[in-house]
Structures are given as C-alpha cells and as structure tokens.
Amino acid sequence: MKQPQPSAAPVIDLGEPITHILPNGLTLLIVENNRLPQVSIRLSFDEQPTLEGDKKGVFELISLLAGNGSTTISKDDFNEEIDYLAADISIMPNGVMGRTLSKYFGRVLELIADAALHPHFSEEELAKEKARLIQSIRANDNNAEAIMKRVGKALCYTLLHPYGEYTTEEKIAAITLEDIKEQYHKHFVPNNAYLVIAGEVQAKEVIALVTEYFGKWEAVTITHKPLYEPINVPTTQIDLIDLPTAVQSEVRVTNLIELSMKDKDYFALLVANSILGGDFGSYINMNLREANGYTYGAFSTFKTDKWTKGVFSIKTKVGNAVTAPAIAEVLKEVERIRTEYVTDEALAQAKAQYLGQFILATERPQTIANYAINIKVCNLPADFYKNYIANIEAVTKEDVLRVANHYYTLYNFRIIVVGKASEIKADLKKLTQRGQAIPLYEYDKYANKL
C-alpha cells in the first residue's frame, strides 16, 4: 500500500487592517470584526530603549501612576466610570491596552485619550507608589527569583545598557514629580505610535473619533545615543550568587544572540528551541524532570530584539544537592542537539505545535492588527505571516542542527546560579567542559564581582 504524501503547507490569508495615518504621525490600524459586540484598543510605541541611569525606576513609576484620571477628571470619577462601562484599561509607559463593549467604544476611547494625553500626576500618589516600590525591593532582598532577574540581566547586558539596569531604594527615593512629567511627555508621543482598534466597529467612525481625540497630540522628535553593545563571555563560566537561606538553586544557562525575525534562521530556531526546551516533551524537560527527577520543570526560550542583541536562556529550579548534576545534564542536552540530527517524530511534533498555536492566535481579530504592527516595526516581508506555517513546515533536521550550532554557544555560556554557596559551590567547581574545569566567579546580589 502506497504511503500518502504530505499535503502542501497552508498559506494563511489573514486579511489586512485598514490603515490611516494622522498628521501628527500616529498610525491607526482598524480591523472590522462583527462576531462579538466588543472592541479591543491597543496603543504601542516603537522607540529605542532608554538608559535611565540614576533615575532608573522612572518608567516603572509612570506605569503605576498613569491611568488614574486626568487633569479634567478625578481618579475616583475616572475609575468609577470605567467600572460602570465594564471596560478594562491599562496605561503604561510603553502603551495602552483597553477592552470594552462596542456600544461604549466612543466614550471609552475618549477616556483613554484624556488619561493618556493629559495625565494627572500628583506628589501624594507619587509618594505612595515610591513607598510601595521600596517595600517591594526590600521584600525581595532574599528572593532567589528576583535576584536572578536582576543579576542575570546586569551580567548579560551590563549596567551600560538599558536592559542591564535595575532599581534600588536610593534611585527610587531620588525620583521627583518633575522627572515623571518630563519623561512621560518626552516619550509618550504620536510620531512613533501605533493605535490598533479591533472588533465591532466601522472604519469611518473610528477615523473620525481618533482624529477628534488624538489629533491635537503633538509630535516630538526624540534623539538617542547609540546603545552599548554587549558581548558573550569568551569561554563558558559559572557566575555564583550566594543566598544562604536558599533550599534550592535558581539556574540560568544563557547567551546573547544576533537574530531578527526577518532572518532566514528565525523559523529554524523556533523549531530547534521547541525540541530543546520549549515544550513539555523537550530534551531538557524530559531529562531533568522525567528521567532524573531534578525539577518540576525546565525550559528554554529565545527573544529577538529590534534594537539590540537578543538572548537565549535555559531556566530551571533544582534542589541544592543536584544543582551541579542538573547543569551537567543541561549541557549534555545542548551538545546533543548540536551533534545529533533530531528524529522525524520530534521534528513533526514541534511543527504541529506551532501550527496549532498560530491558527488559534489568528482567531482573535486583534491578532491581524498586531501582526501588521510587527511587519512595520520589525521591517518584515509583507507576506511574513501569510507564509508563517509554510516556513515552519520547510524547516529540516539539517536546519535544526545548523542553527543549534550557531545560536546555542555551548562554549560561551553564562551559567548563572543563585543558591546556597556553602552547599553547592564545591560541586560546581568540579563541572568540566572539554576536559577543563569551568571557571567559577562569585557576585553579590547586585551583580558586583566579589
């Protein structure tokens, strides 16, 4: 009996949003979808990340203060009306998210515009949020996950890069109301903004409302200094942060990557990552969780970034006694995907996973507009999402082996461990690579080398 041949990969016809650009540079994207009587609103910005320095925490405070009324409506009245309209609104330094019933869309859009363009920042509210942030910093002083998040970024990107900066009590305490107002009005500008309206709407009405509510928003030219360019370590090293109270270790195995979504390797790396650590049945999870019982879960991720180098990371939490063995197994699985072809079964499973995720995502009307934003912001080919599944299906086992060797820098990894040094340090110093001990360095909880 002749085995049936696989059918051609589908080309997804997503349609295109209606696009309208206001004189101030705001790009409006409209997706008409009448399946449900609701509307989603998303305002996002395309701007290079900003180094905050001694004022690190300004943008975080803005996200906590914004959206609580405006210069024309009080915080209580604003929130009361939002609740009455059964709407959800979140205003952040990097954008706005909102959702409402279609019959209330006009008023909700007006409230969003008023709160976003005319925010009410007060000394009283600033003092409250600063106190909460400082208390959170203190509460997380001995939290392994919080320490890893702070130190991991600082080591990979350095404090010279926006992604490596972290907040401290002193920095938060020094931020003034003028700092908040200055940074908000400097970066919350229309000429690098995209407004997505998706749902039960009519394009003509949306354009009229957006022009009325956002048309007087003034454009501002922003200049940025070139970003510091971080680099990988010359050879694999272990970076140990001592947390004497820890009963388990936070582990990150990571390296920086140079990759954009439009690169030909992007789809191959999606598939490779799924096989290595992106799925429950991945190499790393099946080894550490199922075969050895070292952890409840271990996974890998990678992120691309328009402005700077992206990052690849393997993450897990393991008991003190098995910290070193777990790291050894992680390195073994990375070597495996770099030296052995994946099986046909693993390759097919990874592709099926992305097919399901992609089709599910396209059922949401706002997805079409979000994809349109990505195409513009990331300078992607116009048919990037139409051919998404076809590009996933085209990945071969040879592609997986190639990208694994290129992007998983087995011999230039940072192995970052937050744990109880007195119980794990001796075993960590025994870990080897290419017959040599992996160098171990110690840092404090703020990425200062000891």
Side-chain angles (χ1 to χ4, degrees):
M1 182 173 175
K2 187 177 181 180
Q3 186 174 1
Q5 294 296 314
S7 58
V11 176
I12 309 297
D13 185 10
L14 296 171
E16 293 185 7
I18 298 166
T19 302
H20 178 79
I21 301 177
L22 274 64
N24 60 10
L26 175 64
T27 299
L28 172 63
L29 300 167
I30 307 166
V31 179
E32 297 179 350
N33 187 294
N34 298 320
R35 283 184 292 180
L36 293 172
Q38 62 186 29
V39 182
S40 68
I41 303 163
R42 175 190 168 195
L43 180 67
S44 61
F45 295 88
D46 178 30
E47 184 189 356
Q48 177 181 305
T50 301
L51 195 66
E52 296 179 66
D54 292 339
K55 300 294 183 178
K56 175 62 180 176
V58 166
F59 290 123
E60 188 173 359
L61 281 166
I62 287 173
S63 69
L64 296 171
L65 292 169
N68 291 321
S70 71
T71 55
T72 60
I73 183 172
S74 71
K75 172 184 175 181
D76 291 340
D77 288 345
F78 181 86
N79 290 332
E80 183 178 337
E81 185 168 5
I82 290 298
D83 289 341
Y84 175 77
L85 298 174
D88 291 324
I89 294 178
S90 299
I91 299 180
M92 303 157 284
N94 61 345
V96 177
M97 298 289 288
R99 186 172 56 190
T100 180
L101 295 173
S102 52
K103 62 181 178 179
Y104 300 134
F105 164 66
R107 178 55 180 162
V108 170
L109 184 68
E110 183 179 15
L111 287 169
I112 287 177
D114 189 28
L117 274 58
H118 312 107
H120 177 61
F121 298 130
S122 70
E123 291 283 6
E124 181 183 3
E125 290 294 326
L126 176 60
K128 289 180 182 178
E129 296 302 343
K130 285 169 67 173
R132 290 192 183 102
L133 270 183
I134 289 172
Q135 182 58 38
S136 176
I137 291 171
R138 292 172 180 172
N140 284 324
D141 188 58
N142 288 311
N143 182 296
E145 191 171 347
I147 294 169
M148 175 63 79
K149 183 177 180 180
R150 177 173 62 234
V151 176
K153 290 182 178 179
L155 291 178
C156 288
Y157 283 98
T158 82
L159 298 181
L160 300 175
H161 193 285
Y163 294 166
E165 293 184 295
Y166 53 76
T167 57
T168 64
E169 290 186 41
E170 295 75 17
K171 290 177 182 178
I172 294 297
I175 293 171
T176 67
L177 189 63
E178 286 307 309
D179 293 327
I180 297 293
K181 292 178 179 179
E182 179 186 353
Q183 291 303 319
Y184 187 86
H185 291 294
K186 180 180 178 181
H187 296 279
F188 208 93
V189 297
N191 39 302
N192 65 350
Y194 295 85
L195 178 61
V196 176
I197 309 292
E200 190 183 45
V201 294
Q202 293 183 344
K204 186 176 180 180
E205 178 188 6
V206 171
I207 292 171
L209 289 173
V210 169
T211 300
E212 179 181 355
Y213 299 142
F214 290 90
K216 294 181 180 179
W217 189 9
E218 293 185 4
V220 177
T221 301
I222 304 173
T223 57
H224 291 278
K225 295 180 180 179
L227 287 175
Y228 173 80
E229 186 174 343
I231 59 174
N232 285 314
V233 291
T235 60
T236 294
Q237 66 182 51
I238 300 169
D239 298 332
L240 175 61
I241 299 90
D242 183 26
L243 186 59
T245 58
V247 295
Q248 63 179 6
S249 300
E250 285 275 343
V251 178
R252 299 287 185 275
V253 179
T254 185
N255 64 264
L256 299 167
I257 61 173
E258 292 192 64
L259 179 72
S260 71
M261 292 179 68
K262 63 182 178 182
D263 291 342
K264 62 182 181 64
D265 286 347
Y266 178 74
F267 293 99
L269 195 59
L270 283 177
V271 174
N273 183 71
S274 178
I275 295 169
L276 176 65
D279 193 16
F280 182 84
S282 67
Y283 287 3
I284 292 171
N285 195 60
M286 294 304 288
N287 182 323
L288 269 63
R289 175 189 166 106
E290 300 300 308
N292 287 297
Y294 290 158
T295 182
Y296 287 113
F299 60 95
S300 66
T301 61
F302 77 92
K303 293 181 179 179
T304 61
D305 194 286
K306 172 182 177 179
W307 304 106
T308 187
K309 290 179 180 176
V311 64
F312 164 73
S313 291
I314 299 167
K315 307 177 182 181
T316 192
K317 300 179 182 181
V318 296
N320 294 346
V322 298
T323 299
I327 292 171
E329 292 302 314
V330 166
L331 297 179
K332 185 175 77 173
E333 294 301 343
V334 175
E335 183 173 17
R336 174 186 173 193
I337 200 170
R338 284 167 47 102
T339 56
E340 299 177 9
Y341 286 119
V342 300
T343 65
D344 293 335
E345 181 183 4
L347 187 63
Q349 181 179 346
K351 292 179 178 180
Q353 174 188 339
Y354 281 103
L355 175 63
Q357 290 175 346
F358 186 81
I359 291 176
L360 184 64
T362 57
E363 293 178 357
R364 298 187 292 269
Q366 63 267 34
T367 296
I368 299 172
N370 292 341
Y371 285 170
I373 288 178
N374 285 346
I375 287 173
K376 292 177 181 293
V377 169
C378 299
N379 194 27
L380 301 174
D383 60 358
F384 181 85
Y385 288 103
K386 292 179 182 178
N387 292 327
Y388 192 94
I389 296 303
N391 284 325
I392 288 287
E393 289 287 359
V395 175
T396 66
K397 59 180 64 179
E398 289 79 11
D399 291 329
V400 171
L401 189 72
R402 174 176 52 78
V403 297
N405 273 273
H406 186 75
Y407 296 100
Y408 303 153
T409 60
L410 179 60
Y411 303 109
N412 304 95
F413 274 148
R414 274 190 187 274
I415 303 171
I416 308 172
V417 183
V418 179
K420 190 173 183 179
S422 62
E423 294 187 5
I424 65 176
K425 182 178 176 181
D427 287 337
L428 290 176
K429 294 179 76 171
K430 296 176 184 177
L431 288 171
T432 63
Q433 197 174 63
R434 290 173 165 172
Q436 300 290 323
I438 299 175
L440 184 147
Y441 304 98
E442 296 185 70
Y443 295 83
D444 67 14
K445 293 185 285 187
Y446 287 90
N448 297 303
K449 197 171 185 180
L450 300 176

